[in-house]
Amino acid sequence: MNSLFQTWPWYISGFIIAIIMLTLNYFGKVFGMSSNLRSMCSIAGAGKYVSFFDYDWKAQRWNLLVIVVAMLGGYVAVHFMSDPSNVTLNPKTIAQLSQMGIDAPNGKLVPNALFGEAAFQSPKMILILIVGGILIGFGSRYAGGCTSGHAISGMSNLQIQSLKAVIGFFLGGLVMSHFILPLLF
């Protein structure tokens, strides 16, 4: 039982993800989180106004369940199973974060300056969250899916467009973390 409360090695997590993907492929399903936003907009009636949302969302009900289970799993993991003491950051990363005015997590999974309640009290952070959310929404729609859809589902199906999207995600992340983030903080 103790192994549930520790960080799992990549080969165990990877094996579980592979089994899930093989099962989805067997049943002809494609996994992705951003497609759920389209389903929720369709459920709300957006299909009456925009043809993109006019489709049979009931065929994607199983994927909506993925969101509910992911949120429930995240809640259980953080509140009942987390042990962030076994998560360590590279000292160079901590030094770079402190130069930008971001405190080290200090026994938490993420820094409070970026993910705590203080982030919602700063107009600068609220603006960053709004602009970032819009860019992520646009990017996932433009790329034809989100990181989970392309990196997990698309790559497991050997789709070349998913490989291109994942390369773009990584390059964008590198540019953001090395060039844009220091300018913002």
Side-chain angles (χ1 to χ4, degrees), residues 98-112:
S98 66
Q99 288 175 351
M100 291 185 272
I102 300 171
D103 59 331
N106 295 328
K108 295 182 181 178
L109 293 175
V110 293
N112 279 335

Side-chain angles (χ1 to χ4, degrees), residues 21-83:
M21 293 315 304
L22 286 172
T23 304
L24 288 173
N25 285 340
Y26 178 77
F27 288 108
K29 305 291 185 186
V30 178
F31 171 77
M33 290 303 227
S34 64
S35 60
N36 286 313
L37 179 59
R38 181 180 183 202
S39 297
M40 288 187 280
C41 289
S42 181
I43 290 168
K48 296 175 187 173
Y49 306 103
V50 180
S51 61
F52 177 74
F53 298 114
D54 187 22
Y55 78 106
D56 182 24
W57 63 267
K58 292 179 182 174
Q60 293 293 319
R61 281 187 291 205
W62 71 271
N63 209 8
L64 290 170
L65 182 63
V66 171
I67 285 183
V68 173
V69 173
M71 290 189 312
L72 180 63
Y75 180 82
V76 168
V78 167
H79 292 286
F80 301 110
M81 301 177 73
S82 69
D83 179 18

Side-chain angles (χ1 to χ4, degrees), residues 133-143:
I134 290 169
L135 289 174
I136 287 172
F138 173 78
S140 66
R141 188 66 255 146
Y142 185 72

